[in-house]
């Protein structure tokens, strides 16, 4: 059995009142801080005999962000990201399941928020034993 899931969000945010109307991040008419205009999700699941596999993608568009003065000129936009994760589980016996998970499958380097790097490709494997 195959299952697909998809979602999309369009967020039309604008700052309409500000104590600093000309500020490059929080000024009037700017997009809300840390709120991407476009974002979405795509997920595929395959269940076949004793195996279950998932492939999930997250899409985040550009958004207002800041390094808060670390660079000159300061950064005021995060370019967004696309990341993919996958999971596979195989039932070996009625009580033992082998699992493999790979996060950030493509090893994408991104920063959300600016200055905080996530792990690159991360691989985990294990066994689940029930009693």
């Amino acid at each position: 059995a195959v299952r697909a899931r998809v979602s999309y969000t369009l967020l039309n945010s604008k700052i309409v009142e500000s104590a600093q109307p000309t500020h490059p991040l929080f000024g009037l008419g700017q997009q809300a801080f840390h709120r991407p205009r476009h974002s979405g999700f795509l997920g595929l699941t395959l269940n076949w005999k004793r195996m279950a596999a998932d492939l999930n993608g997250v899409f985040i568009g550009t958004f207002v962000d800041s390094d808060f003065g670390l660079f000159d000129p300061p950064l005021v936009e995060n370019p967004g990201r696309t990341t993919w994760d996958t999971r596979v589980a195989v039932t070996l016996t009625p009580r033992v399941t082998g699992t493999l998970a790979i996060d950030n499958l493509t090893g994408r380097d991104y920063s959300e928020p600016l200055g905080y790097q996530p792990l690159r490709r991360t691989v985990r494997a294990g066994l689940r034993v029930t009693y």
Side-chain angles (χ1 to χ4, degrees), residues 9-74:
T9 300
L10 172 63
L11 180 61
N12 189 14
S13 65
K14 295 278 187 239
I15 296 177
V16 296
E17 187 175 318
S18 176
Q20 299 175 324
T22 60
H23 193 277
L25 295 175
F26 306 111
L28 294 176
Q30 295 295 328
Q31 184 177 335
F33 192 68
H34 277 292
R35 303 295 186 269
R37 181 170 171 82
H38 303 280
S39 61
F41 169 84
L42 172 66
L44 297 171
T45 300
L46 170 65
N47 289 306
W48 184 66
K49 297 187 179 185
R50 299 180 313 165
M51 181 190 76
D54 292 313
L55 178 64
N56 299 301
V58 175
F59 314 96
I60 306 293
T62 60
F63 57 92
V64 175
D65 201 352
S66 180
D67 64 358
F68 294 103
L70 294 176
F71 298 104
D72 189 24

Side-chain angles (χ1 to χ4, degrees), residues 80-116:
R81 64 182 167 90
T82 300
T83 55
W84 293 92
D85 301 327
T86 188
R87 309 275 185 273
V88 176
V90 178
T91 302
L92 303 172
T93 72
R95 297 189 179 269
V96 178
T97 302
T99 61
L100 174 67
I102 305 173
D103 295 328
N104 197 358
L105 189 61
T106 60
R108 172 92 187 234
D109 185 17
Y110 63 93
S111 187
E112 188 181 332
L114 288 174
Y116 292 88

